[in-house]
Amino acid sequence: MSKKKEAILKAATVLFANKGFADTSMQELSKLTGAAEGTIFYHFKNKERLLLSILIETRGDVVEAFDRFFEGRSCRDGLHMVEEVVSFYLYLAGLMEFQFLLLQRHFLYRFAEENAEFRENLEAIYNCIADFFEKAIAMGQADGSIGDVHPRKTALILFTMVDGIVRFKNFNLYDAGALFNDLIDSCRRMLKP
Amino acid sequence: MSKKKEAILKAATVLFANKGFADTSMQELSKLTGAAEGTIFYHFKNKERLLLSILIETRGDVVEAFDRFFEGRSCRDGLHMVEEVVSFYLYLAGLMEFQFLLLQRHFLYRFAEENAEFRENLEAIYNCIADFFEKAIAMGQADGSIGDVHPRKTALILFTMVDGIVRFKNFNLYDAGALFNDLIDSCRRMLKP
DNA sequence: AAACTGACTGAGCGCTCAGTCAGTTTTTTT
DNA sequence: AAAAAAACTGACTGAGCGCTCAGTCAGTTT
């Protein structure tokens, strides 16, 4: 992949995440990357395909990060693994700040309504994460560290919690870091047998 | 307030919530309301002020709804009141669907960064809701139905949960209704002494 | 009957936008 | 070194945008 193409993808991720899709102009993107406007359209046939490319890249990054982190990892018990998934999600949301911010923006879900490629990639990301929560809960129920809750639904509720925390951080409403300990505590109370 | 002005406010709420700020044109708003474009600018000095008017109206509606619901209401105990706040939030998110969707959109928080009026109204809405959660938790700790948790932080975590559920619903990711019982259950487990 | 008011109109202005294209430079292949 | 392919350029276009403004009109006041 050419240097310019990479620069365009990187800068567009930040701009789309921070300013939104409609409020980011190709002109601005051109200036920021040093690439001519024509170059952007040489690499991406239009603005929407540029966004899709970012989403596909993000999917790859997120799925790979989760798989890497948990492959071969043997946790003390299921409850402990839930805590690790929560922590890792929050860690990743800091590491891949702009990609996570992008995933919370509404325009992505508007595209997903009409474009199957958007839908598939979004679903892949969400399923990957929800599956990790569910696996951890199921493991906890097998080893007795987690009580009798509905695995999938509880996984979604946990997902909702950490995602909401990231949202509060992104909107500058509250300091997510200050809530971390209480969040982990809440999870433990929620899940214990 | 003139009929046209009311129609503009109402239609703009739906459009801004569904399509975003930048993707909603005054032309579209004009066609939908039957008001000439000039009429919109007669009532609201510009697009941003129109959005602010909607936010101010939303603040009034949300705060009034919460105050009305809980004034004079005597709950069995604090834990029960937490459940009622959760339920009422979700009920209101259905009743005032577009206003709640609007509150989750990023452009509002971008305006809030530079415009104190936006910031004040957003804070008023969030503080009102978080306060109700906190009050319920404090009550529960007084009557023994809720364990020893940090009231404000736990209030924020609860808020995060219900807000996240609404977000999942808005994005058509999962059916929020199907999670309701498990959500209430999780809250109970989280809070019990 | 004259003066005034506030709600409303829609053509039109200045400007920005996504996307195009004819042409140039750089890289790879032969 | 020549030819071919890939990467890149930036001036340009037409559509659409927010917003303005001169003007209409029904109703009220003087």
Side-chain angles (χ1 to χ4, degrees):
Chain A
M1 179 148 42
S2 75
K3 288 261 178 235
K4 295 248 159 148
K5 189 174 178 185
E6 264 178 296
I8 292 164
L9 270 174
K10 206 169 172 181
T13 305
V14 177
L15 287 180
F16 286 158
N18 280 333
K19 316 200 353 159
F21 186 74
D23 282 331
T24 297
S25 74
M26 302 310 256
Q27 211 184 104
E28 196 180 355
L29 195 49
S30 157
K31 269 180 195 151
L32 214 81
T33 53
E37 281 189 60
T39 306
I40 304 174
F41 289 98
Y42 171 75
H43 288 295
F44 309 95
K45 94 168 198 237
N46 58 32
K47 204 179 174 185
E48 184 176 333
R49 293 294 305 189
L50 169 57
L51 177 63
L52 181 59
S53 299
I54 292 171
L55 178 60
I56 290 171
E57 205 186 45
T58 298
R59 172 198 177 161
D61 290 351
V62 169
V63 172
E64 195 200 330
F66 267 91
D67 284 345
R68 278 265 173 82
F69 189 72
F70 290 102
E71 81 187 359
R73 169 174 293 256
S74 60
C75 285
R76 199 187 313 142
D77 54 34
L79 180 62
H80 193 69
M81 185 173 164
V82 169
E83 290 172 28
E84 293 238 302
V85 179
V86 170
S87 300
F88 187 66
Y89 185 95
L90 294 174
Y91 162 75
L92 217 58
L95 202 70
M96 304 170 51
E97 182 185 352
F98 300 109
Q99 283 162 306
F100 269 68
L101 217 171
L102 190 77
L103 286 174
Q104 299 213 348
R105 299 212 60 140
H106 291 232
F107 55 82
L108 268 185
Y109 302 86
R110 296 249 310 160
F111 282 120
E113 279 168 25
E114 298 191 336
N115 185 321
E117 281 194 86
F118 277 88
R119 204 160 47 243
E120 282 159 21
N121 283 285
L122 280 170
E123 271 173 18
I125 295 171
Y126 282 106
N127 282 334
C128 164
I129 298 170
D131 286 351
F132 272 103
F133 275 114
E134 193 177 345
K135 263 181 276 177
I137 292 171
M139 189 198 294
Q141 289 179 329
D143 66 34
S145 62
I146 290 179
D148 183 33
V149 295
H150 188 294
R152 188 66 182 183
K153 286 182 181 177
T154 308
L156 292 178
I157 289 171
L158 286 172
F159 191 1
T160 278
M161 281 173 74
V162 286
D163 201 55
I165 293 277
V166 173
R167 216 185 127 247
F168 275 0
K169 193 193 77 184
N170 286 339
F171 284 181
N172 297 314
L173 290 171
Y174 303 105
D175 179 17
L179 292 178
F180 180 77
N181 286 331
D182 297 79
L183 181 72
I184 295 285
D185 246 29
S186 300
C187 291
R188 259 198 291 262
R189 289 161 160 276
M190 237 177 81
L191 299 171
K192 72 183 174 194
Chain B
M1 180 148 44
S2 76
K3 287 262 177 234
K4 294 248 160 148
K5 190 174 177 185
E6 264 178 295
I8 292 163
L9 270 173
K10 206 170 171 180
T13 305
V14 176
L15 287 181
F16 285 159
N18 280 333
K19 316 198 356 159
F21 186 74
D23 282 331
T24 297
S25 73
M26 302 310 253
Q27 207 184 107
E28 198 180 355
L29 194 50
S30 156
K31 270 180 194 152
L32 214 81
T33 54
E37 277 190 64
T39 306
I40 305 174
F41 289 98
Y42 171 74
H43 288 295
F44 309 94
K45 97 169 200 234
N46 57 33
K47 204 180 175 186
E48 184 176 334
R49 291 294 304 189
L50 168 57
L51 176 63
L52 181 58
S53 299
I54 293 170
L55 179 61
I56 290 171
E57 205 186 45
T58 298
R59 172 198 178 163
D61 291 351
V62 170
V63 172
E64 195 200 330
F66 266 91
D67 284 344
R68 277 266 173 84
F69 189 71
F70 289 102
E71 82 187 359
R73 169 172 293 256
S74 59
C75 284
R76 200 186 312 143
D77 54 34
L79 180 61
H80 192 69
M81 185 174 164
V82 169
E83 289 171 29
E84 293 238 304
V85 179
V86 171
S87 300
F88 187 66
Y89 185 96
L90 293 175
Y91 162 75
L92 217 58
L95 202 71
M96 304 170 51
E97 182 185 352
F98 300 110
Q99 283 161 306
F100 270 68
L101 217 171
L102 190 76
L103 285 174
Q104 299 213 348
R105 298 212 63 140
H106 291 233
F107 55 82
L108 268 185
Y109 302 86
R110 298 250 309 159
F111 282 120
E113 279 169 23
E114 298 191 337
N115 184 322
E117 281 194 87
F118 277 89
R119 204 160 47 241
E120 282 159 21
N121 283 285
L122 280 170
E123 271 173 17
I125 295 172
Y126 282 106
N127 282 334
C128 165
I129 299 171
D131 285 351
F132 272 104
F133 275 114
E134 194 178 345
K135 265 181 275 176
I137 292 171
M139 189 198 294
Q141 290 179 328
D143 66 35
S145 62
I146 292 178
D148 183 32
V149 296
H150 188 294
R152 187 66 181 183
K153 286 182 180 175
T154 308
L156 292 177
I157 288 172
L158 286 172
F159 190 2
T160 278
M161 281 172 76
V162 287
D163 200 56
I165 292 277
V166 173
R167 214 185 130 248
F168 275 0
K169 194 193 77 184
N170 286 339
F171 283 179
N172 296 314
L173 289 171
Y174 303 106
D175 180 17
L179 292 178
F180 180 75
N181 287 332
D182 296 80
L183 181 71
I184 295 285
D185 247 30
S186 300
C187 291
R188 260 197 291 263
R189 290 162 159 277
M190 240 177 80
L191 299 171
K192 71 182 176 197

